[in-house]
Amino acid sequence: MQRFVDLYQTLDETNATSAKVRAMADYFASAPAADAAWAVYFLTGGRLRRLAKPAELRQWVLDLTGMPDWLLEETYSSVGDLAETLSLLLDTVLAPPEQASEPLHVWVEQRLLPLRQQAEPDRKRQLIGWWTGLPTGGRFVLNKMLTGAFRVGVSRRLVVRALAQASEVEPARLAHRLMGHWQPDAAFFRHLLDPKDHGEDASRPYPFFLASPLAGEPGELGARSDWLAEWKWDGVRGQLLQRGGDCYLWSRGEDLMEGRFPEIEAAARALQDGTVLDGEILAWDDDRPLPFNVLQKRINRLRPSARMQQRAPVIFLAYDLLEQDGGDLRALPLTERRQRLAALLDHADGSIRLSRPLDDPDWDSLARRRDQALAMGTEGLMLKRLNSPYRVGRTRGDWWKWKIAPLTIDAVLLYAQPGHGRRSNLFTDYTFGIRDGDGLVPIAKAYSGLDNAEIEQLDRWIRSHTTERFGPVRAVEMQQVFELAFEGLAESGRHKSGLALRFPRIARWRHDLGPADADSLTSVRELLDSIRSGY
Amino acid sequence: MSLELIRPGRRGLFCEAGDFHIDPWRPVPRAVITHAHADHARSGSDIYYAQHDSVPLLRKRLGPHSLIRGVDYGEPFRLGQTTVSLHPAGHILGSSQVRVEAGGEVWVASGDYKRDPDPTCADFEVVPCDTFITEATFALPIYRWRPVAAVAGDIHAWWQANAAADRPSVLFCYALGKAQRLMAELLAYTDRGIYLHGAMVPLVAAYRDAGIAMLPSLPVSAAGRGHRFSEDLILAPPSAAGSPWMRRFRGHSTGFASGWMRIRGNRRRRGYDRGFVVSDHVDWPDLLRTIRETGARRVLATHGRTDVLVRYLNEVEGVAAEPLETLYSGESDD
Ligand SMILES: [Zn+2]
Ligand SMILES: [Zn+2]
């Protein structure tokens, strides 16, 4: 495991993206496949569940060090990370050796995973033995594997770049192979880096193509006739797969939304096998979307009752066809994909429907149409270049979201502090950040926008996910993404991002997004540039 | 507790029997100063008493016209009805503990201190006392320092690796004490000159005047226009991080030398590439050891985690302890 510990330390100790990618690429190129598979698993956010309870680990460290419980608690609240606290405290009683022995996959497969079946005294005895045999960095990594996620400032995108550097496989294909569920073993890793094409796993979705915000007038995009326009639906982006007789519904956050939208899954079974649709999950009534909070009632609800399905009906509104008859259509121009999609769904009025293109003939009439977005229950328009392929990730140029004012960005909650007066016992003042390299930089504070139930829910989350306290301010785990609405954007020295939002407020809590989906300093700067150039 | 020899007053720690303050935060008639850090040495008092070596440093902070009386370590002098003497605290050049004796009672105010050897200042001296006023900046069990010579080796290796990749190495550290200590410890690894941020230049000069051997240094401003610093080590105060001044060092790697770097989150939040754990404050094991060695029956804690130290001393060590409210900020960058 020493190599993985060293890799972790290198990643932790540098802020330079290129150095992180190089370190991972070196590791992937040289580590045994069985170890590298687990490294990919952990670095892309995978975790091992139910190995040992954090309370047990704490108790075992208390037993070892003999320190009072309150002192561990004080230390923990100062360090903010349990895995780190425990490894620093172990240092005080167990002199750490130089090197960790046994490869990573042996640690995970033969030591950690079997813990699930063992009784407390056995797990304690083993843990103490393992701690004793590991250097400080190894204890930390072990504790991390036991307690949860590895947040080491690398995004999935960077892991993909490193894998591409270590192999001859292009990033898009690697990203695809990393979608969905997979078993981290040597065979998987070899398959991942195999330059040859072979059938991918049936449940695996395609990487999503994401639109960029259009801040000015669309005239500069060229002729209206080169573009497809449709409403920008305000739901949960999803990919619906019908393959091998099974249906898989993925959200953009790469959650398999199995069992939550039975009406969509049922309708998918009527599709021909080998079909993949890109679209939006929406709460829908007759011919129009219902407000987002209606959909919210369904998002986390497994096996909703018939009554719930009736009160909050959902549909999958398809706007792209990525696969047909098992063939990958992504390289085809949008016109062709849409023609096939329309042929597939034209008469559908059930739980899978077609997002219809808007036929306003020129930009002016389209702009007037956009003015009705609110009335239509949408966020504005999408503009998609008709001759473009389906790309990967947020590639600028072919897909634009032409939202109605206000401007919005997706930002990550960094800090929280209690409000004033009536709300002084709740965390209601928030600081948000956007991605910068692999870190996050603060960009805005916002106080309002959530309803009372959400405030209470977020307050509870903040209390149990605090990583550090600075007086009344709490730093929290960087996980929750919020859509911030604002009226303007300007340079400013007030935030570390160098940018300030005018009248920022929370538009909504994006349960469906993770921190890697948040906007970046680059994307917000581009937004600023496009506002400035009046385009 | 026969006598409260020293107690917190509006203007600082006050000794009524001697009619003087220790490290006052507002102007007073007589101030005994433990050391020249900003939160301990403030201007405006009528007369200052301090150890000889810290007088030049204090002059820079208090202004050229302040009345400062230099005193030797261990040289007793009378203030009111008390006998006062200064003893090495091992914190920075000229740093002192203040021993106050009156009516058969001995109190020691530690100021900031550490027990690790430091080539830039005299070693800490254990001064037996009845009541010990101690700092508690790093009073948590996770704070324990590796030998600074080993950390200097890590810094040197980081500098070499950066130089090999044509990257300037910018190391942030506290400008008074930490910078000079690192420059002295690095002598074991190299004699190559380094560059200093302007704020450090006069302080380094003061240490050289006191005869402290350190790496040769030049102000960054003395480098030629075309100089790229790609193989250089540059020391700068933490306040320089992220400032336009940093633009001179293209492609730089940043490090921060501080006891706070023991915690990953502290480094990651500030965005440094490397954290080096070096402190001029006492760590947890030495804090407890020192309290035992003074033989004090009573401990008053200031600076930092007083709450933790006070509770631990009372409940685990069986020593009567209380927090003492002061305005010392603690070296937040230390
Ligand atoms: Zn100090
Ligand atoms: Zn201090």
Side-chain angles (χ1 to χ4, degrees):
Chain A
M1 184 163 73
Q2 189 59 44
R3 289 165 75 158
F4 184 62
V5 173
D6 291 342
L7 172 65
Y8 187 95
Q9 229 141 19
T10 309
L11 295 175
D12 196 45
E13 281 179 356
T14 180
N15 291 306
T17 302
S18 57
K20 288 187 191 224
V21 171
R22 204 176 324 113
M24 286 189 285
D26 288 349
Y27 178 88
F28 293 139
S30 61
D35 291 345
W38 281 107
V40 172
Y41 178 79
F42 288 121
L43 292 171
T44 54
R47 47 209 294 184
L48 307 173
R49 288 170 207 277
R50 301 184 312 278
L51 298 181
K53 295 192 193 81
E56 291 177 329
L57 296 174
R58 287 175 53 139
Q59 188 55 49
W60 301 338
V61 169
L62 285 177
D63 294 347
L64 266 175
T65 58
M67 69 171 51
D69 186 49
W70 65 264
L71 187 55
L72 188 146
E73 187 54 39
E74 288 287 353
T75 306
Y76 177 28
S77 80
S78 176
V79 174
D81 178 303
L82 185 64
E84 185 182 356
T85 306
L86 299 182
S87 59
L88 290 172
L89 289 176
L90 286 166
D91 252 18
T92 65
V93 283
L94 301 174
E98 285 293 314
Q99 292 276 319
S101 56
E102 299 296 335
L104 177 62
H105 77 278
V106 172
W107 270 96
V108 178
E109 294 162 16
Q110 294 173 27
R111 295 183 168 182
L112 301 182
L113 293 176
L115 285 176
R116 282 181 192 150
Q117 282 87 44
Q118 293 166 11
E120 198 265 358
D122 295 329
R123 283 183 290 133
K124 176 178 178 182
R125 185 176 38 77
Q126 300 211 64
L127 241 297
I128 290 175
W130 296 339
W131 278 330
T132 311
L134 285 172
T136 308
R139 289 171 189 169
F140 174 61
V141 167
L142 170 62
N143 293 346
K144 275 281 171 201
M145 292 194 285
L146 291 167
T147 55
F150 275 72
R151 266 175 289 272
V152 68
V154 296
S155 58
R156 171 175 291 248
R157 188 178 50 86
L158 284 196
V159 176
V160 165
R161 256 170 68 184
L163 287 164
Q165 247 179 48
S167 68
E168 289 158 40
V169 186
E170 57 188 300
R173 175 168 295 165
L174 286 164
H176 187 197
R177 289 176 178 173
L178 282 173
M179 296 290 282
H181 295 310
W182 38 267
Q183 180 61 37
D185 56 22
F188 166 76
F189 189 74
R190 287 196 203 98
H191 164 88
L192 182 65
L193 296 196
D194 188 344
K196 285 198 297 293
D197 194 9
H198 29 65
E200 307 292 352
D201 171 11
S203 73
R204 187 158 299 158
Y206 293 102
F208 286 88
F209 181 21
L210 307 173
S212 307
L214 181 70
E217 297 305 313
E220 289 184 35
L221 295 177
R224 165 72 181 90
S225 55
D226 291 341
W227 295 83
L228 175 140
E230 61 190 325
W231 291 115
K232 184 183 182 324
W233 305 103
D234 184 18
V236 169
R237 178 86 178 271
Q239 221 178 96
L240 184 59
L241 289 63
Q242 178 63 35
R243 283 184 189 147
D246 282 313
C247 159
Y248 309 91
L249 179 57
W250 291 93
S251 77
R252 192 187 130 195
E254 279 181 54
D255 281 320
L256 194 51
M257 322 258 301
E258 213 172 0
R260 287 179 233 179
F261 304 110
E263 57 269 63
I264 296 177
E265 292 182 44
R269 286 184 223 297
L271 294 170
Q272 204 180 35
D273 216 52
T275 301
V276 175
L277 304 176
D278 182 14
E280 200 90 2
I281 302 165
L282 288 164
W284 192 268
D285 181 29
D286 199 13
D287 64 343
R288 57 194 302 116
L290 293 164
F292 191 81
N293 59 21
V294 178
L295 178 62
Q296 213 131 33
K297 294 192 178 87
R298 295 283 307 268
I299 288 178
N300 295 313
R301 185 74 58 106
L302 270 178
R303 286 179 296 279
S305 63
R307 202 170 108 84
M308 174 60 88
Q309 290 185 44
Q310 209 166 30
R311 267 176 41 204
V314 295
I315 64 158
F316 186 87
L317 198 64
Y319 38 68
D320 217 321
L321 180 63
L322 309 185
E323 184 177 306
Q324 193 172 31
D325 295 329
D328 181 351
L329 305 189
R330 291 178 299 161
L332 294 181
L334 176 63
T335 342
E336 171 76 20
R337 301 198 309 272
R338 289 291 300 222
Q339 269 164 18
R340 296 190 189 203
L341 179 68
L344 205 67
L345 298 178
D346 205 23
H347 301 293
D349 58 356
S351 298
I352 301 176
R353 303 190 188 197
L354 178 68
S355 166
R356 297 193 184 274
L358 301 168
D359 52 12
D360 308 81
D362 51 50
W363 293 122
D364 283 347
S365 51
L366 197 58
R368 284 194 295 280
R369 170 84 70 169
R370 173 170 160 269
D371 292 340
Q372 303 160 25
L374 268 184
M376 287 296 299
T378 70
E379 297 183 296
L381 298 180
M382 291 294 301
L383 302 175
K384 299 176 177 175
R385 196 187 295 275
L386 281 167
N387 64 4
S388 64
Y390 188 92
R391 300 183 189 274
V392 169
R394 204 181 294 279
T395 315
R396 283 168 66 85
D398 288 337
W399 278 23
W400 299 100
K401 39 186 174 185
W402 189 21
K403 290 193 184 184
I404 46 169
L407 301 165
T408 64
I409 57 168
D410 296 324
V412 182
L413 179 65
L414 299 179
Y415 307 103
Q417 68 184 97
H420 299 286
R422 193 167 59 85
R423 285 179 167 171
S424 60
N425 62 339
L426 285 175
F427 288 94
T428 57
D429 296 3
Y430 317 108
T431 302
F432 296 94
I434 51 175
R435 293 184 295 115
D436 179 19
D438 298 307
L440 288 157
V441 286
I443 187 159
K445 286 185 175 225
Y447 311 94
S448 63
L450 296 177
D451 63 32
N452 282 336
E454 283 175 317
I455 287 173
E456 276 173 33
Q457 186 188 354
L458 184 56
D459 178 79
R460 277 194 303 279
W461 185 87
I462 289 164
R463 287 173 200 276
S464 55
H465 294 81
T466 297
T467 57
E468 227 171 332
R469 299 171 195 207
F470 316 94
V473 181
R474 294 193 178 200
V476 297
E477 290 180 16
M478 298 168 189
Q479 286 181 8
Q480 300 296 347
V481 179
F482 292 80
E483 185 176 295
L484 303 183
F486 54 97
E487 304 302 323
L489 180 61
E491 308 244 25
S492 154
R494 203 173 66 209
H495 296 293
K496 207 174 162 196
S497 58
L499 295 169
L501 310 184
R502 184 164 161 77
F503 300 130
R505 68 262 183 200
I506 299 170
R508 64 192 158 108
W509 190 347
R510 296 296 304 253
H511 297 279
D512 56 323
L513 299 186
D517 302 314
D519 275 286
S520 65
L521 194 50
T522 315
S523 68
V524 180
R525 283 219 158 266
E526 278 167 356
L527 179 61
L528 177 64
D529 290 342
S530 51
I531 293 170
R532 279 188 177 153
S533 63
Y535 155 65
Chain B
M1 237 61 57
S2 48
L3 181 68
E4 289 291 296
L5 214 44
I6 299 169
R7 56 184 171 75
R10 270 186 310 111
R11 293 178 289 182
L13 288 182
F14 182 56
C15 174
E16 193 173 344
D19 192 20
F20 65 91
H21 285 77
I22 298 172
D23 294 350
W25 43 84
R26 299 223 189 101
V28 298
R30 269 171 305 284
V32 178
I33 300 297
T34 62
H35 66 290
H37 275 147
D39 59 328
H40 294 261
R42 301 188 195 223
S43 57
S45 291
D46 297 341
I47 181 168
Y48 295 89
Y49 298 85
Q51 199 273 339
H52 274 304
D53 290 333
S54 62
V55 174
L57 299 170
L58 286 171
R59 284 235 175 279
K60 291 185 199 308
R61 199 173 298 286
L62 305 174
H65 303 298
S66 297
L67 189 54
I68 307 175
R69 208 191 117 183
V71 185
D72 273 333
Y73 285 134
E75 176 201 343
F77 53 101
R78 293 289 294 179
L79 284 176
Q81 296 151 35
T82 64
T83 304
V84 179
S85 53
L86 303 182
H87 304 266
H91 177 56
I92 63 168
L93 181 63
S95 65
S96 306
Q97 308 172 73
V98 182
R99 180 186 186 275
V100 183
E101 181 171 0
E105 185 93 359
V106 176
W107 286 47
V108 169
S110 74
D112 296 341
Y113 68 100
K114 70 171 177 288
R115 303 297 301 267
D116 297 330
D118 179 342
T120 69
C121 61
D123 286 349
F124 180 91
E125 177 190 329
V126 174
V127 183
C129 55
D130 301 299
T131 298
F132 186 48
I133 303 178
T134 183
E135 65 144 313
T137 307
F138 288 106
L140 279 175
I142 48 169
Y143 291 113
R144 38 181 63 228
W145 316 139
R146 285 167 68 214
V148 70
V151 182
D154 292 348
I155 293 173
H156 183 250
W158 167 72
W159 173 15
Q160 295 310 295
N162 288 337
D166 272 345
R167 273 198 298 266
S169 303
V170 182
L171 181 62
F172 298 109
C173 58
Y174 211 55
L176 173 54
K178 187 72 58 67
Q180 296 77 16
R181 185 183 183 199
L182 293 176
M183 289 170 68
E185 292 285 356
L186 281 167
L187 272 181
Y189 296 90
T190 180
D191 54 7
R192 191 188 157 95
I194 64 165
Y195 284 94
L196 300 176
H197 183 277
M200 288 178 170
V201 173
L203 300 168
V204 168
Y207 270 60
R208 289 200 200 282
D209 291 345
I212 310 291
M214 294 177 288
L215 288 183
S217 58
L218 274 177
V220 166
S221 57
R225 268 221 152 276
H227 188 73
R228 298 183 31 128
F229 300 95
S230 57
E231 297 184 351
D232 292 323
L233 175 66
I234 302 104
L235 298 191
S239 56
S243 73
W245 180 80
M246 293 290 294
R247 290 200 201 118
R248 289 206 64 174
F249 315 111
R250 292 243 332 237
H252 61 260
S253 176
T254 57
F256 186 33
S258 159
W260 301 114
M261 293 298 99
R262 181 81 170 140
I263 296 180
R264 275 171 73 240
N266 286 337
R267 171 173 57 78
R268 290 170 61 80
R269 199 178 60 252
R270 295 173 182 233
Y272 302 114
D273 293 315
R274 284 291 297 270
F276 299 101
V277 184
V278 192
S279 177
D280 289 326
H281 292 270
V282 66
D283 68 4
W284 174 257
D286 279 348
L287 177 58
L288 299 179
R289 172 167 72 103
T290 304
I291 289 166
R292 287 181 207 125
E293 289 178 357
T294 61
R297 284 173 284 116
R298 182 179 176 219
V299 170
L300 304 176
T302 69
H303 264 68
R305 297 311 302 263
T306 52
D307 54 338
V308 171
L309 180 62
V310 163
R311 182 164 177 192
Y312 191 85
L313 291 175
N314 281 309
E315 293 185 9
V316 181
E317 298 273 310
V319 173
E322 300 151 49
L324 195 60
E325 286 302 318
T326 63
L327 290 188
Y328 305 138
S329 58
E331 276 72 61
S332 57
D333 291 327
D334 192 36

